[in-house]
């Protein structure tokens, strides 16, 4: 999931450099959503590992 977030972020940067504002905005939004989903899943996984060990 982090790979896809980085990929959309790179697409957003390239689109912004070439002046495609709409595509850049959409790609940046998708990258942001994917990154936050990754963070939530990462934290849930860490909590589950701590609970399982105790």
């Amino acid at each position: 999931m982090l790979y896809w977030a980085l990929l959309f972020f790179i697409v957003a940067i390239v689109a912004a450099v070439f002046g495609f504002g709409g595509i850049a905005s959409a790609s940046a939004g998708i990258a942001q959503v994917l990154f936050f989903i990754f963070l939530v899943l990462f934290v849930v996984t860490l909590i589950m590992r701590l609970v399982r060990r105790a």
Side-chain angles (χ1 to χ4, degrees), residues 6-17:
L6 288 173
L7 183 70
F8 276 106
F9 180 66
I10 291 170
V11 168
I13 290 174
V14 170
V17 166

Side-chain angles (χ1 to χ4, degrees), residues 2 8 13 21 25 32 42 51:
L2 189 58
F8 276 106
I13 290 174
S25 176
Q32 187 176 13
F42 180 70
V51 168

Side-chain angles (χ1 to χ4, degrees), residues 5 8-9 25-39:
F8 276 106
F9 180 66
S25 176
S27 295
I30 292 170
Q32 187 176 13
V33 168
L34 288 174
F35 181 72
F36 284 123
I37 290 172
F38 166 76
L39 283 180

